[in-house]
């Protein structure tokens, strides 16, 4: 962490990737040097590890920090991040931690995001980066960035899903009392006020649909449940989730299929029927399109993973 590190940005990855028997991670908090680091918002941290901790890390999180647009991070930090990346570690920035990651040059030519208040400053300071202010997080493989505060949870759960599977990520989300999945493409904030009752109604429709994925679900049916026109429902749904209604339903079905593949011995044909996709061929088609793998390969990878 850097001077001025934001408390939430420090705590979120530590909490998600907690060092416990059920999680295959060891969490270490480090600074430019061991000792006291002055944080943001009235807090300070006593960190036990310096930059040598980056020599073994598989993934390095960079918390957001105060005034990121005023000066570059220490060169020793930049060098340690570059060495970790060369060794094969993933680098993930939460909020304004994107500025420290950008200082390495590793975001040049790639998409990235940061807290909406700083997106313009990031684009001006590092014009080689394709800054996207309308997403919660961006995964470019070896480098990942997220928007401010709570979107760090979304990024961490996204990483956890890729590492351990959806059951482990859902377990962590339940432990954090967090939404198990929000699209990285979801907008950081709604640029105009939305009447609260309508927002609650749309959330209730999504919850209703999640309990009926094995049944036929159409745009008209979902809009009828929300008591709005299909056109209004579609527009607002994209604003809320980053997906069209039917894209969201399909991904929800694939997510349930993933968890069944991980935690049950049901056949691909049975799972396809359970999640409303009808046939195993249909499940395989959409599984390949969305995840780039087959249900059988996915099961071999994640079945029996301890969450």
């Amino acid at each position: 962490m850097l001077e001025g590190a934001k408390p939430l940005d420090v705590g979120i990855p530590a909490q998600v990737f907690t060092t416990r028997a059920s999680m295959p991670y060891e969490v270490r908090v480090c600074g430019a040097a061991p000792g006291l680091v002055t944080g943001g918002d009235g807090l300070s941290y006593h960190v036990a590890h310096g930059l040598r901790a980056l020599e073994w890390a598989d993934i390095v999180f960079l918390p957001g920090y105060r005034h990121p647009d005023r000066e570059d991070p220490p060169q020793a930090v930049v060098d340690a991040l570059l060495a970790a990346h060369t060794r094969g570690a993933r680098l993930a920035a939460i909020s304004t931690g994107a500025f420290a990651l950008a200082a390495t040059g590793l975001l040049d030519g790639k998409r990235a995001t940061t807290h909406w208040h700083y997106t313009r400053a990031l684009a001006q300071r590092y014009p080689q980066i394709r800054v996207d202010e309308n997403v919660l997080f961006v995964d470019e493989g070896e480098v990942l960035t997220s928007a401010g505060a709570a979107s760090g949870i979304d990024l961490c759960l996204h990483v956890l899903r890729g590492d351990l599977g959806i059951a482990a990520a859902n377990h962590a989300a339940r432990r954090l009392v967090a939404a198990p999945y929000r699209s990285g493409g979801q907008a950081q904030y709604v640029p105009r006020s939305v009447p609260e009752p309508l927002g609650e109604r749309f959330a209730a429709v999504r919850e209703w649909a999640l309990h009926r994925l094995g049944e036929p679900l159409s745009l008209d049916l979902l809009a009828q449940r929300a008591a709005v026109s299909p056109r209004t429902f579609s527009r607002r749904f994209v604003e809320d989730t980053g997906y069209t209604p039917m894209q969201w339903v399909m991904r929800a079905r694939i997510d349930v299929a993933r968890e069944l593949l991980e935690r049950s011995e049901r056949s691909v044909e049975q799972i396809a029927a359970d999640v409303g996709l009808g046939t195993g061929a249909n499940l395989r088609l959409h599984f390949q399109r969305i995840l780039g793998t087959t249900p059988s390969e996915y099961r071999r990878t994640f079945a029996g993973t301890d969450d």
Side-chain angles (χ1 to χ4, degrees):
M1 70 176 69
L2 297 170
E3 293 290 323
K6 293 288 191 175
L8 266 180
D9 299 354
V10 173
I12 285 169
Q15 189 84 3
V16 173
F17 298 94
T18 177
T19 301
R20 58 172 60 193
S22 63
M23 295 284 277
Y25 299 99
E26 179 182 346
V27 178
R28 295 187 188 180
V29 181
C30 71
L36 189 68
V37 175
T38 302
D41 305 311
L43 294 182
S44 294
Y45 317 89
H46 192 280
V47 298
H49 304 281
L51 294 175
R52 291 196 64 181
L54 274 64
E55 295 176 3
W56 61 268
D58 292 319
I59 183 166
V60 179
F61 281 92
L62 301 167
Y65 55 99
R66 293 175 62 83
H67 312 306
D69 51 339
R70 295 184 185 178
E71 59 183 32
D72 290 330
Q75 188 59 45
V77 172
V78 173
D79 291 343
L81 291 171
L82 285 169
H85 172 263
T86 299
R87 185 177 50 78
R90 291 168 291 173
L91 306 181
I94 297 177
S95 187
T96 54
F99 282 79
L101 184 52
T104 67
L106 295 172
L107 291 178
D108 290 356
K110 295 181 171 65
R111 284 178 65 239
T113 193
T114 188
H115 190 286
W116 62 266
H117 185 75
Y118 284 95
T119 51
R120 182 172 297 180
L122 182 65
Q124 291 175 344
R125 191 175 182 89
Y126 299 101
Q128 303 93 334
I129 301 173
R130 292 181 283 126
V131 179
D132 191 339
E133 64 180 3
N134 292 315
V135 294
L136 293 180
F137 62 84
V138 176
D139 182 349
E140 288 281 341
E142 61 200 26
V143 287
L144 306 92
T145 53
S146 77
S151 64
I153 298 177
D154 301 304
L155 175 63
C156 289
L157 291 176
H158 170 75
V159 170
L160 199 58
R161 276 191 297 274
D163 286 357
L164 302 183
I166 196 166
N170 287 348
H171 177 79
R174 288 192 296 271
R175 178 164 45 82
L176 296 168
V177 196
Y181 185 73
R182 291 200 297 171
S183 160
Q186 184 171 334
Q188 291 193 30
Y189 65 98
V190 179
R192 59 183 179 279
S193 61
V194 176
E196 187 61 25
L198 188 57
E200 291 177 354
R201 196 188 314 164
F202 274 58
V205 170
R206 290 195 295 273
E207 183 68 22
W208 177 85
L210 285 174
H211 292 285
R212 292 163 177 81
L213 293 174
E215 305 171 12
L217 293 172
S218 66
L219 172 59
D220 288 344
L221 180 62
L222 295 173
Q224 181 181 3
R225 184 77 186 179
V228 296
S229 71
R231 182 175 180 180
T232 296
F233 185 79
S234 293
R235 175 176 54 80
R236 275 294 315 281
F237 202 95
V238 171
E239 292 174 355
D240 286 353
T241 70
Y243 292 119
T244 69
M246 300 322 294
Q247 286 174 336
W248 181 90
V249 167
M250 180 58 69
R251 286 183 172 267
R253 284 172 166 156
I254 293 298
D255 279 353
V256 173
R258 290 167 66 181
E259 189 155 8
L260 289 171
L261 287 165
E262 294 171 26
R263 310 188 75 166
S264 80
E265 296 182 359
R266 295 180 69 74
S267 70
V268 171
E269 293 288 342
Q270 290 171 326
I271 290 173
D274 290 341
V275 301
L277 288 176
T279 67
N282 205 23
L283 174 59
R284 292 183 187 94
L285 174 67
H286 293 292
F287 215 89
Q288 182 73 46
R289 179 177 59 83
I290 292 173
L291 299 177
T293 189
T294 66
S296 297
E297 285 292 333
Y298 185 88
R299 173 169 266 166
R300 279 193 286 271
T301 301
F302 290 113
T305 299
D306 186 8
D307 64 359

